[in-house]
Amino acid sequence: MATKAANKFYAVRKGRNPGIYYSWSDCEKNVKGFPGAEFKSFKELSEAEEYVKAGAGPARLKKISQENDDSQVSESAIKPDVKAEVTAGSAENYAFVDGSFNSATGVYGYGGFLMANGEKIILQGSGNDREMAEMRNVAGEICGSVAAVERAIKLGLSKVSIYYDYMGIEKWATGEWKRNKTGTAHYHEVMQKAAGLIEIEFIKVKGHSGVAGNEEADRLAKEAVGIL
C-alpha cells in the first residue's frame, strides 16, 4: 500500500531512537518521558536531517516509514517534553508546577512557570490554611496546577499542558482518584469548570531526575515557602 507524502517531518535529535518520523504518534513514542528529549517539526526533509545530524551524528540518522495519514496532526500537537526547547513565538503553551511545605511555619506553597506563546511567566504563591496545610506539599502542588490553568485562561489560551511530578495533580482533576479532603474536592471542581474553558493536558515527569523545568519549579516552590 502506497503512503501519502508527509506534510511534516518530526526530527528527534535526542530520544529513545533518534531519527526522522513521518507521524506525530511515532515521534511521541520516542520522546515522551525521555529525559533531555530534543525534537522539532519541519516542513522540509533536508532541514529535519540537518537538525538530527547536528545532535546525533549521521550514523544515527534514521527514517521511519509513514504508515498512517498524518494530515490531521496540527502544529499545536507538538509539545515540548522535559528539556526540549520551545522557540519564541511558538504556539505551544505549557507549564511546569511543583509544591513545597515549610514544617516550621506550616506554610505550603507552589512554584513554576507558564510558557505562553514564547513568553515565560513565573508562578509562585503560598498559604497557611490549617486544613490545606495538613496535605503539606501536596497542597502546594494542586494550588500550582490551578494557578497555571487560571493564568492560561486569563491569557485567552485554548490549550495548556501541565507538567507535574505528583500523580494526584492529574488523577484528582480528572476524577480518577477519590477526593477525601476538602482541598482535593475543591481542586477537582475548579479543574472541571476550567476544562469547559480551556483544553488541559497533564504530563507526568519524574521528580528530582534532572528535568530542567521540574527542577526550576521545585526551587521556586521552596522559595515561596521560605526554605530556600
Side-chain angles (χ1 to χ4, degrees), residues 177-228:
W177 280 9
K178 292 182 179 180
R179 284 81 63 198
N180 298 319
K181 295 182 179 294
T182 301
T184 55
H186 179 66
Y187 173 62
H188 172 73
E189 293 175 2
V190 170
M191 297 303 277
Q192 287 294 305
K193 290 180 181 179
L197 302 173
I198 187 172
E199 181 181 351
I200 307 170
E201 177 182 38
F202 293 97
I203 303 171
K204 176 76 167 61
V205 297
K206 185 177 181 180
H208 308 293
S209 61
V211 177
N214 181 254
E215 294 294 337
E216 181 174 358
D218 177 67
R219 178 183 62 78
L220 289 169
K222 290 178 179 177
E223 183 178 90
V225 299
I227 57 175
L228 189 65

Side-chain angles (χ1 to χ4, degrees), residues 12 26 30 45 58 65 121 178 180 194:
V12 177
D26 286 332
N30 286 280
L45 176 60
S65 298
I121 302 168
K178 292 182 179 180
N180 298 319

Side-chain angles (χ1 to χ4, degrees), residues 63-106:
K63 295 187 181 72
I64 310 301
S65 298
Q66 181 186 19
E67 296 180 355
N68 302 303
D69 180 13
D70 189 41
S71 61
Q72 299 302 311
V73 179
S74 65
E75 184 64 30
S76 62
I78 306 301
K79 57 182 179 296
D81 194 87
V82 294
K83 297 180 183 177
E85 296 181 0
V86 178
T87 58
S90 168
E92 183 59 36
N93 306 303
Y94 68 97
F96 274 91
V97 297
D98 205 356
S100 189
F101 180 73
N102 188 327
S103 58
T105 62

